[in-house]
Amino acid sequence: MLSSSATQSRYVSSGTKSATVSEVLSQRLRSTGCAGAWGNALMTRQYGISPVVAGSIIASFGIGAVIAKPTLGCVSDLPGISRRLMTILVQIAFAITLTVFGMCSTVTQFYIVAPVLGAFSYGYLPVLMA
């Protein structure tokens, strides 16, 4: 029977350092700016929220984005709506919501703010594409 260390895949970088695949992926995710990576790190490391709960909060971020894209796209198609002004307002709302997300400290606060942040972070795309 193989030991647990023998069953782990090893990744060799430049022949000098060896790390598991999960360590390499974790390091690469931390270096990206995507919401899942920094959001999970903020919640799990800073506030001690379990990774499963943090993942479900980040999933609600995606749900907000999925709902906001067609909604804001339809609103931007209404007559009399300036797409430029709407884009600026959505970007301002994103900056404010991102600041609020950074100041959250409880699970309930994260659950409330994450979908709104997702809506504003991806909601401007249909406005720009129209």
Side-chain angles (χ1 to χ4, degrees):
M1 182 158 189
L2 295 174
S3 68
S4 63
S5 62
T7 59
Q8 285 186 339
S9 300
R10 293 308 235 173
Y11 176 83
V12 178
S13 173
S14 305
T16 58
K17 183 180 177 186
S18 175
T20 64
V21 173
S22 63
E23 290 169 344
V24 171
L25 290 175
S26 175
Q27 179 183 15
R28 288 186 181 166
L29 282 176
R30 276 186 259 128
S31 67
T32 63
C34 64
W38 63 261
N40 275 339
L42 171 72
M43 290 182 280
T44 56
R45 292 185 181 171
Q46 181 73 23
Y47 297 109
I49 297 171
S50 77
V52 173
V53 173
S56 68
I57 292 169
I58 295 302
S60 71
F61 176 91
I63 291 168
V66 166
I67 293 169
K69 278 184 144 185
T71 305
L72 290 173
C74 289
V75 170
S76 72
D77 290 339
L78 294 174
I81 301 291
S82 168
R83 288 193 174 107
R84 179 178 293 171
L85 178 61
M86 189 168 173
T87 302
I88 291 169
L89 292 175
V90 168
Q91 290 297 316
I92 290 170
F94 168 70
I96 292 168
T97 310
L98 185 61
T99 303
V100 171
F101 186 83
M103 293 189 300
C104 290
S105 60
T106 66
V107 172
T108 304
Q109 291 172 343
F110 282 118
Y111 269 120
I112 292 169
V113 177
V116 178
L117 181 61
F120 289 132
S121 66
Y122 288 103
Y124 73 93
L125 289 174
V127 176
L128 288 177
M129 299 292 185

